[in-house]
Amino acid sequence: MPDGGLPWADDAEEAKPSAAELEAAGQNALFGDPVPVPDEPKPAKAGEASTTAPKSPTTAPSAVQGAVNPPETDPATPYRVLARKYRPQTFSELIGQEPMVRTLANAIRRDRLAHAFLMTGVRGVGKTSTARLIAKALNCIGPDGQGGPTIDPCGVCEPCLAIAEGRHIDVIEMDAASHTGVDDVREIIEAVRYSAVSARYKIYIIDEVHMLSRNAFNALLKTLEEPPAHVKFLFATTEVDKLPVTVLSRTQRFDLRRIPAQLLQSHFGWVCEQEGVEAETEALAMIAGAAEGSVRDGLSILDQAIAHADMEGGEGATAVTAKIVRGMLGLADKSAQRRLLGHILEGDAKALLAAIGEQYALGVEPLALMRTLMDLVHRVTVAQVGGGQADAPSAEESSALTDFAQRLTPGQLHRLWQLLLKGHDEVRIAPDPLASAQMALLRVLHAADMPDPGSLVKRMEELARSAPAPSQSDSTASQGSAPESNLADRWLSLIEVVERGGHHHAASIMRLQVRPIAMSDGELSYSRDKRYRDEVAAVLRDALIQATGKRWTLDEQQAGGLPSLVEQDEERSRSAEAAMREDPLVKAAFAAFPDAEFVEEEERAPRGGHTNWSKSA
């Protein structure tokens, strides 16, 4: 022991802990000591690290390795759903997002990494997985510990394993849905000042970032615009329109696309191979269609289908069939869909109701039935537009779609789609979905017998061309002679003078009853229909004197004179209707619809606000 020194002083100077040991000590203090595992021989070469390193339970096998036998699991290990078990661990396993991967690869290769990334898209397309992959790519050090940022992280170094297991001290994940306030953002602002403990970058992954409050966004703006060089922000959201423009302008945005159904089907087939499960192609196609472009949704449905298949087939006979998936999702059999559409086109209402009842008894929901019929009409329309043989999983279905496409016209298909869409909305809000679906499909069936608007117009034009020319009626009787026309104009002017004077009752009598014979200065000779027996001369004389300011002499005759204004209007209406009925297009319309009739528009009051006349005057 040296003089004046402590017995443990030399040992303290010689044994300084490494950065990895410091991180492991911190993790053990937070999460407890890891479960001891048997010692494994240390790999002699860096290239052998991937074969001797312990497997992470979250690491999914690569697609290029082909099918493998399902790994034996420890009975004490809890089951992990497929969506978590096959979460992509490398960018090569991230399906359907090639443009984003190419952009990130070029940015890493050229050392042009942004300080903030925003991943947006629908649920289950890989937003959070992409954020974790970016964190691994930026912090990977390679199997030999000397690597730099790479688009292909090794997956075996300590940062890659820690990030994959969610225990890296420098990769902080925060759920914005439960950390929405300014205080949560203030913790981030204060922590970014400190360098990373053991990684190359300190990375903040904020999921569902649109849930942050407005004040939280404002508090983050300055740090987001000019963060320290060792800090990267990775945001993920499904509702990018809720983010402020000030945040969008400070990030590099990636819009993750929906995964195509064919790619999903291929991916689900690979997962089934890894799990040692047999699956029919049609079953995988139905699962991919129900996933609506989401890998997570599809894997959840596949997980449920595998469990359902186990119960159906028993131990050792796991097979996912189309029948199982159809019953699990409540979908109608495709052959039943085609039969339903056939009954509609044939106009067989009794068979249609029987088919609807059969599908309902099998567990198919009425709303799902309407949706499958809409999908069938859409596929027939696409097949008609594309021409040739329809694209379908089976030859039978392809032949049926092609037959429908050849039988139906584009107008009929579009009308079927509109009627089914309206029926779908009615079934969705109806108190009795089954009754609503039956009525909606019966309406579609009966509408199929109605003529198409385009063909109806063509038929009317053909009838119009073949119809004889309308006869020309003698117009001299309606127009009258020049003196009569002059008398009619002066009589109408006199009525307007009386009306402007406020004598509306007298003006109504003049319009309805009076047939003028002759009219001069202060003298009026007229007649009336025999049905009018009341005395009106005094009323007319007083109104004329007050309206014109001169005395009038009235002489009522038994017959003669021009028709009253009301009679003239009625005659014009009858003449117009007769001329309209003689029009070739109208004749064609009545020939197509024999029970049709003219409907006159209701009479409206004049703009002055008062009624013109009354038949009871």
Side-chain angles (χ1 to χ4, degrees), residues 1-13:
M1 181 178 66
D3 296 339
L6 297 175
W8 56 82
D10 293 340
D11 297 337
E13 292 179 359

Side-chain angles (χ1 to χ4, degrees), residues 379 390-395 397-399 401:
R379 295 175 64 193
D391 185 17
S394 63
E397 184 178 359
S398 176
S399 176
L401 293 179

